[in-house]
Amino acid sequence: MNYKYLFSYKSNIGYFLLLCTVVLLGACDIGDNNVEPGENIVKIYNNENFAINYDPLDIKQTSDGGFIILSSVDVSDTYLLKINELGEFVSDTLITSPFTHPLPNLFEIGGDFYFFSMDDISLATHLTKINLSDSSQAPEIIRTYTEIIYPLAVSQTPDGGFIIQSYNRDSRSSKLTKLDANFAESWNNEYEVLEDVENTIIGKFSGTAENLPYFTGSMNDGSIYFFNGFYNFSLSVVFVNSSDGDLIGTLNGLRDETGLSAAQHITGNSFAVSRFSFDDNFLLPLGDINVQANDFSGDLGGNELPEILPSAKVVIKRLTINGQNVVLYGSETKSKQIVLYAYDESDGALLGTKYFGNVNPYEIGNFVETTDGGLAISGRTFVAGRFPRICLFKISETELNSIVP
Amino acid sequence: MSITSNKKKLLFATFTKGILAIIFLLLSKPDLFAQDPQIDRKTGLIRGNPYGPDKLNKRKSGNASLGSTGSTGSTPLSFGLKGGTNLTDVRPEDQFSVFSFTEVPNASSAEKQYFKLSDNRGFHFGFIARYAVTGQLSVALEPTFSNMKYSYVNNYTWVDFENNSNSLELNYEHNQTLNYIEIPLLIRYNLLNSFIKPFVHGGGFYGRLLSATKKINVSGTDYAAGNTQEFSNSSSTLGVDDLYIKTHLGLIAGGGLSYQVGPAAVELSANYKIGMNNVVNEANRLSDDTITGGNYDVLDNTKLRNIEISLGLVFSL
């Protein structure tokens, strides 16, 4: 065989050029192998305490790009966790008796963070402020509302004020209190339950009964407020006039076995809601609710999702993802994963889903859009299947957009 | 783009250009290392570069000795097989963990404890294609299947501070296996033309990931379940191809001995391979929930270093 051509000078150059081309083309992934730190985060905030139990309620992004997470600890105490933009622990604050049972919303006002909690002795409501610029991050009690006992839910209104849902055990009524932007009471109104549900309320605070989905909210124009609480023997959504709290309409449940688990106003009479009926869960991303009628929540219909855990917490928020107006549901599955469902706000069509966590149980706390266009989800996981710890999932804008193709 | 990213790209570009420069230098100057023709006093043959400026060797000696390439034929080309063991040393650059501790731990650690070199044993086998440039100098391509293993462990402890007898210790042992097809380009220099021929060689390699797997062994001691109980569970083997990038580039330096047995040369060599790039896929580091959320592991940015010990058999054409 004549090898002269095979191993000639020109042939050799050709072989090596071919080899180098293959190498260079194949090695492109080295140059592309770079991700900005903090774009994606999976973190579990662990310690060696065998007995402590965290239950995160809300998450907000701070001005430094990090996050602050509001959590309850061991059912009653309040815990604030500050983490940096990479998801690493920075500091924490444990607030114990009498400032207990934080309500599941954290509010940022002027760079400071506020939350409401209950006094475990007087049952009154405290407004507490955390100043992150203060190195001690000592909580400061701004105001105590002695007339608001058993606070159950709170949300901010379009005018910068707040509405607080509570339970008046003396009148056996649900109570809604409107605060202005300076935290002064504007009005309050009560809505008769017609039976004593204090044991159910106490069960929520003591952790001995099911944590029913109490929530408050507003129509976008601020004309109507609503709360999900006990009214007329049942867990119902009560719509009230925002100027004085007068009842306008209701969406009744069936005792506490059927009702709504979350609601978000879209526009007009359109709401995105999730509802439960015994152990079944239904998501209705675009449903019409007549706020001036007295209807039954079981008639709303919706998409039944058997994968969602009975009594699961559901969070609904309106976001713009990948240029589309999206209603994003967050909940937890029977396989104990956190799940996001993205629906088209205009027609209620499902656009995509995403799951977080595996093997060990994961439960949703809340989620928030991040300044880099991503999404941060706080939750609870049971490390090694047994230690309840706060977890954080942060996904990049690219990954978030991939949910909504 | 970060400074780190620019450094990586610069390093990659420099490395690639360096390899290319060496290749072209050798090809464009085939007589660069040529020796003047010499008469071997023992054999009477003419030694030297058959393709050098003096063409005597090529014309006059059809079976000129080519040193330790094992060639006794008429061409400067030889082929062979090789195989052996390799030990992997991992150099994590940036370390990551799923856990962030809210209190300084006493016995737990978010940092991985990497196994030492001798515990990370893999294997390799491949082909040798060698081209003698001169009697002492040769260039070889050695396409190799390389199986690399490396492991690390994380230890975690939880203690009931009110009742110290309530505690749990967990150890997560993570065993990674990476299979690459590697194409090393080696320049070899024979130190002596003796009966047993020592040589040194060096060069670079291009590796392409074929597959990556991970096996996780969880063991521990549970002091809280009513009695002290030790347990151990192994996961099934998980495919983790997406957690690594496909390319592995690096440098090789080493040496060995060659022993001519008839038409073949038996070669024993040892190489030290330095990976030049992070083999972990940064974009996919957190993508596998079974590993991150289920087994609390995130791969560190990692460069691989290997010691290879090979036995080869080379035939000349």
Side-chain angles (χ1 to χ4, degrees):
Chain A
M1 184 175 177
N2 185 356
Y3 296 101
K4 282 183 181 175
Y5 177 75
L6 279 175
F7 306 112
S8 69
Y9 174 63
K10 284 183 178 177
S11 296
N12 290 340
I13 288 182
Y15 295 150
F16 281 116
L17 283 177
L18 181 64
L19 177 67
C20 295
T21 305
V22 170
V23 168
L24 288 173
L25 287 176
C28 290
D29 55 354
I30 295 179
D32 297 336
N33 191 27
N34 180 49
V35 173
E36 289 297 319
E39 266 195 11
N40 293 290
I41 298 170
V42 177
K43 279 287 174 189
I44 296 170
Y45 301 95
N46 188 29
N47 56 51
E48 294 184 330
N49 193 332
F50 189 95
I52 201 161
N53 177 358
Y54 300 89
D55 190 3
L57 303 168
D58 200 4
I59 180 170
K60 289 282 186 293
Q61 190 165 27
T62 52
S63 57
D64 61 0
F67 300 92
I68 185 167
I69 294 175
L70 173 69
S71 170
S72 69
V73 175
D74 294 337
V75 181
S76 60
D77 292 341
T78 304
Y79 180 75
L80 285 152
L81 173 66
K82 175 72 182 79
I83 52 189
N84 68 16
E85 72 279 10
L86 303 177
E88 297 294 341
F89 169 79
V90 175
S91 62
D92 58 1
T93 306
L94 179 65
I95 306 167
T96 57
S97 178
F99 310 107
T100 58
H101 303 291
L103 300 190
N105 272 318
L106 191 59
F107 304 100
E108 184 184 5
I109 301 170
D112 295 321
F113 289 90
Y114 296 80
F115 66 92
F116 293 86
S117 61
M118 187 178 84
D119 189 305
D120 65 348
I121 307 297
S122 69
L123 309 180
T125 301
H126 297 293
L127 172 63
T128 307
K129 173 179 149 183
I130 297 291
N131 184 354
L132 290 180
S133 57
D134 177 5
S135 58
S136 70
Q137 292 185 8
E140 177 188 353
I141 305 302
I142 300 298
R143 191 171 294 204
T144 297
Y145 304 92
T146 56
E147 299 301 316
I148 304 175
I149 63 169
Y150 288 132
L152 296 169
V154 61
S155 61
Q156 203 159 16
T157 53
D159 62 0
F162 300 86
I163 43 175
I164 303 174
Q165 177 195 350
S166 59
Y167 177 71
N168 185 341
R169 61 181 173 182
D170 296 326
S171 62
R172 296 181 175 182
S173 299
S174 289
K175 181 177 180 180
L176 197 63
T177 305
K178 172 69 169 55
L179 307 181
D180 64 21
N182 297 314
F183 312 115
E185 184 175 321
S186 300
W187 53 256
N188 69 74
N189 215 328
E190 294 192 355
Y191 313 89
E192 286 186 300
V193 181
L194 302 176
E195 67 174 338
D196 185 3
V197 292
E198 187 176 12
N199 278 342
T200 306
I201 302 291
I202 290 172
K204 164 196 160 48
F205 288 112
S206 63
T208 57
E210 187 180 344
N211 190 0
L212 293 170
Y214 306 102
F215 62 82
T216 60
S218 310
M219 304 278 273
N220 294 333
D221 62 2
S223 61
I224 294 172
Y225 300 152
F226 54 87
F227 72 89
N228 193 44
F230 282 104
Y231 171 72
N232 192 19
F233 299 106
S234 294
L235 189 70
S236 304
V237 180
V238 178
F239 297 94
V240 305
N241 191 317
S242 65
S243 59
D244 52 15
D246 280 354
L247 191 147
I248 296 174
T250 60
L251 191 60
N252 296 308
L254 176 63
R255 307 294 287 174
D256 58 2
E257 302 291 351
T258 294
L260 261 57
S261 46
Q264 170 68 52
H265 181 233
I266 305 295
T267 183
N269 285 336
S270 297
F271 286 78
V273 302
S274 67
R275 66 178 188 88
F276 64 96
S277 179
F278 298 91
D279 285 345
D280 299 326
N281 288 283
F282 302 82
L283 304 187
L284 181 61
L286 192 63
D288 278 343
I289 297 175
N290 184 349
V291 298
Q292 294 180 325
N294 295 309
D295 290 331
F296 174 51
S297 62
D299 294 334
L300 285 175
N303 309 305
E304 184 174 359
L305 281 105
E307 70 171 338
I308 296 180
L309 193 70
S311 307
K313 179 176 181 178
V314 181
V315 180
I316 308 175
K317 292 190 177 178
R318 299 172 70 193
L319 306 176
T320 301
I321 303 174
N322 214 4
Q324 291 193 63
N325 292 328
V326 169
V327 176
L328 194 63
Y329 284 74
S331 190
E332 53 216 32
T333 66
K334 287 173 182 161
S335 60
K336 300 299 278 182
Q337 290 175 289
I338 293 172
V339 59
L340 297 179
Y341 303 96
Y343 289 93
D344 189 329
E345 190 180 282
S346 62
D347 60 8
L350 180 67
L351 298 171
T353 59
K354 187 164 181 66
Y355 297 82
F356 300 87
N358 204 349
V359 182
N360 294 303
Y362 286 81
E363 300 171 347
I364 194 163
N366 209 334
F367 59 81
V368 63
E369 280 183 288
T370 56
T371 51
D372 63 0
L375 191 77
I377 303 143
S378 65
R380 174 166 71 168
T381 183
F382 292 79
V383 175
R386 62 173 95 176
F387 305 112
R389 297 291 186 266
I390 296 169
C391 63
L392 171 71
F393 294 94
K394 154 85 171 49
I395 56 175
S396 65
E397 182 177 16
T398 307
E399 200 169 345
L400 180 61
N401 287 347
S402 70
I403 303 174
V404 180
Chain B
M1 187 168 287
S2 70
I3 293 172
T4 311
S5 167
N6 287 332
K7 279 185 178 174
K8 282 179 188 171
K9 286 193 170 176
L10 185 63
L11 184 67
F12 171 61
T14 308
F15 170 74
T16 310
K17 285 174 185 171
I19 293 291
L20 286 174
I22 292 169
I23 291 166
F24 278 102
L25 184 65
L26 286 170
L27 292 172
S28 59
K29 302 283 185 186
D31 57 344
L32 190 65
F33 301 99
Q35 297 175 330
D36 291 335
Q38 293 176 336
I39 303 297
D40 189 304
R41 290 178 183 175
K42 292 179 181 175
T43 63
L45 294 173
I46 298 171
R47 294 191 303 168
N49 180 7
Y51 297 98
D54 189 323
K55 303 292 192 266
L56 277 176
N57 225 355
K58 188 179 176 187
R59 295 192 195 106
K60 292 186 178 180
S61 177
N63 58 350
S65 168
L66 293 171
S68 61
T69 60
S71 172
T72 55
S74 59
T75 74
L77 194 71
S78 51
F79 290 102
L81 299 169
K82 69 169 188 176
T85 187
N86 45 269
L87 308 172
T88 302
D89 184 21
V90 171
R91 300 291 174 97
E93 295 185 309
D94 303 314
Q95 301 205 30
F96 299 88
S97 173
V98 169
F99 287 130
S100 183
F101 282 89
T102 59
E103 296 167 8
V104 178
N106 290 318
S108 303
S109 172
E111 278 193 18
K112 303 172 181 72
Q113 298 161 46
Y114 282 89
F115 284 23
K116 59 184 188 239
L117 183 80
S118 57
D119 293 329
N120 296 329
R121 283 190 296 274
F123 63 90
H124 66 274
F125 58 85
F127 301 97
I128 299 170
R130 190 173 296 145
Y131 178 79
V133 181
T134 71
Q136 273 70 43
L137 195 71
S138 57
V139 178
L141 277 176
E142 300 185 358
T144 304
F145 175 84
S146 188
N147 169 273
M148 301 181 198
K149 294 179 177 173
Y150 72 94
S151 302
Y152 51 80
V153 67
N154 281 116
N155 301 313
Y156 306 111
T157 298
W158 292 268
V159 179
D160 187 341
F161 299 126
E162 293 178 358
N163 177 6
N164 285 342
S165 61
N166 272 351
S167 66
L168 176 69
E169 295 170 3
L170 278 181
N171 310 303
Y172 286 81
E173 183 184 305
H174 301 268
N175 304 297
Q176 285 70 219
T177 300
L178 307 177
N179 293 318
Y180 284 97
I181 185 78
E182 291 183 338
I183 307 173
L185 176 66
L186 294 172
I187 298 166
R188 167 163 148 165
Y189 187 77
N190 299 317
L191 298 172
L192 293 172
N193 194 16
S194 55
F195 185 63
I196 295 177
K197 302 176 182 68
F199 61 86
V200 292
H201 59 201
F205 67 87
Y206 166 75
R208 188 83 181 162
L209 183 72
L210 297 177
S211 67
T213 59
K214 185 181 185 80
K215 194 172 176 68
I216 304 164
N217 299 323
V218 184
S219 61
T221 308
D222 189 346
Y223 299 94
N227 198 356
T228 301
Q229 185 178 7
E230 294 186 355
F231 59 90
S232 179
N233 298 306
S234 294
S235 75
S236 53
T237 301
L238 306 169
V240 291
D241 293 11
D242 290 344
L243 299 188
Y244 293 87
I245 63 169
K246 294 295 181 190
T247 305
H248 185 211
L249 290 180
L251 300 174
I252 307 178
L257 299 169
S258 176
Y259 174 63
Q260 193 73 32
V261 182
V266 178
E267 295 182 355
L268 180 67
S269 63
N271 296 325
Y272 188 58
K273 292 164 51 182
I274 303 174
M276 302 293 286
N277 65 289
N278 169 28
V279 295
V280 171
N281 189 324
E282 295 193 22
N284 290 350
R285 189 196 314 280
L286 302 170
S287 63
D288 192 325
D289 275 340
T290 304
I291 292 169
T292 53
N295 291 286
Y296 313 124
D297 185 44
V298 183
L299 293 175
D300 295 337
N301 282 353
T302 300
K303 286 182 179 173
L304 301 172
R305 298 188 178 200
N306 295 88
I307 292 176
E308 270 186 359
I309 298 168
S310 309
L311 190 63
L313 195 61
V314 179
F315 298 88
S316 57
L317 293 176

